[in-house]
Amino acid sequence: MKRIVYLVALFAALVSFLSPARAEEAKRALVLGSTTSVRDSGLMDELLPLFEKETGIHVQLVAVGSGAALKLGEDGNADVLVTHEPDGEKALVEKGALVDHRPFMENFFLIAGPAEDPAGIAKATSAADAIARIAKKPAPFASRGDDSGTHKREQALFKQAGLDANASWPGLVRTGQGMGATLQVAGEKRAYVLSDRATFQTFQARTQLAPVFAEKTADLRNVYAVSRPNPEKLPAGRVDVDGAKRFAAFITSPATAERIRAFGAKDGAPLFTPLAEGDVAK
């Protein structure tokens, strides 16, 4: 009888130990809020398995526009962030909502479009001039329209071109989607589109678009940074501070910098360039 009681108790303990809720609690994922470009380009597919193998920490990637990712961090709904929206990042750092803010890589935006270039932007003197030519034509244009870092840069270029930040013209469409999806819309509509270089190259074969204006000018520089929500501004235990610190250390490490430098290089130019300390101000 005692043996039966013991076995029943042991079975109950095992069921409790293996219950989905307990198992899920034990393996809580580190939530990474990131821009869509690091997902759509395939970079995170390259890096996250290495981080998980090195640390044993599972990562849940939430890829959204940088504006939405920054909001996730500010609200404590992400443990660590990878974004490319310098003004928004700076505002939250100054507010004390983000800490440990470190730029770690860059690439450049470009304006893609049909190879025949109906608006003649290949002759433009700047990215803003290219936008002005597209609007004046007017030529089809696909905007993300999603408060992402790319959308913010687009709005800045619109202003520099003498347009309203949210200007519209016949043929302009706002997708409200990530970079990969917006590139595919541009391809279908034979439209111009502002894109980061990495995602454009990843989707070029599918879209059949050309890098029509791809000068590496200061106004097209695209810097990515890692940052952490400030745990002192959030309820205790809301974010995984240790996991976030380990991810930030991983993504900014010399070994990861070499992996970033090599990513995409076999198919041509690397898609991203790692930044050394001090490079951001250049």
Side-chain angles (χ1 to χ4, degrees):
M1 182 66 180
K2 289 182 179 180
R3 180 178 175 80
I4 293 173
V5 171
Y6 172 77
L7 289 173
V8 169
L10 178 61
F11 177 75
L14 286 172
V15 169
S16 174
F17 179 76
L18 295 173
S19 67
R22 290 284 298 277
E24 187 61 31
E25 182 180 349
K27 62 174 185 179
R28 178 186 181 274
L30 181 76
V31 179
L32 167 61
S34 86
T35 172
T36 61
S37 57
V38 295
R39 177 199 63 189
D40 292 348
S41 64
L43 180 64
M44 284 303 165
D45 289 337
E46 178 90 3
L47 297 182
L48 291 184
L50 297 171
F51 173 73
E52 293 182 355
K53 182 177 180 180
E54 182 179 305
T55 64
I57 298 172
H58 175 63
V59 178
Q60 178 185 344
L61 176 63
V62 180
V64 290
S66 284
L70 290 170
K71 180 65 173 171
L72 287 174
E74 183 179 14
D75 292 345
N77 292 322
D79 300 305
V80 65
L81 306 175
V82 170
T83 52
H84 64 147
E85 215 278 88
D87 290 342
E89 294 157 14
K90 180 180 178 183
L92 290 182
V93 169
E94 291 177 347
K95 183 179 176 180
L98 294 183
V99 295
D100 196 16
H101 177 259
R102 286 184 268 176
F104 68 95
M105 69 178 185
E106 69 173 356
N107 62 13
F108 283 82
F109 291 106
L110 54 78
I111 301 175
E116 58 271 24
D117 188 20
I121 71 169
K123 299 176 183 177
T125 57
S126 66
D129 181 32
I131 294 293
R133 288 170 182 247
I134 294 167
K136 184 178 180 180
K137 179 71 178 172
F141 186 88
S143 165
R144 284 180 58 170
D146 64 347
D147 196 36
S148 60
T150 304
H151 182 217
K152 294 288 189 185
R153 185 63 59 92
E154 175 194 293
Q155 290 180 312
L157 291 174
F158 273 35
K159 289 181 179 179
Q160 292 169 28
L163 304 168
D164 183 89
N166 297 306
S168 188
W169 58 82
L172 185 148
V173 59
R174 291 184 168 88
T175 69
Q177 300 186 67
M179 196 69 258
T182 300
L183 278 163
Q184 292 185 84
V185 169
E188 292 166 3
K189 295 183 175 294
R190 309 309 297 157
Y192 291 99
V193 58
L194 179 71
S195 174
D196 68 283
R197 189 175 297 263
T199 313
F200 167 74
Q201 288 182 207
T202 302
F203 280 77
Q204 187 174 12
R206 276 175 268 183
T207 63
Q208 295 297 298
L209 295 176
V212 188
F213 188 88
E215 301 297 322
K216 292 184 177 181
T217 54
D219 59 355
L220 291 179
R221 191 176 184 217
N222 184 29
V223 176
Y224 293 80
V226 62
S227 52
R228 296 187 292 108
N230 186 351
E232 295 182 4
K233 297 285 187 178
L234 297 166
R238 180 64 179 264
V239 291
D240 181 353
V241 177
D242 180 65
K245 285 181 177 180
R246 294 179 74 178
F247 181 84
F250 167 82
I251 203 77
T252 58
S253 71
T256 300
E258 288 310 306
R259 293 184 180 110
I260 290 171
R261 194 186 310 279
F263 181 69
K266 64 181 180 181
D267 299 318
L271 299 184
F272 300 93
T273 301
L275 291 171
E277 189 174 352
D279 280 352
V280 146
K282 292 181 182 178

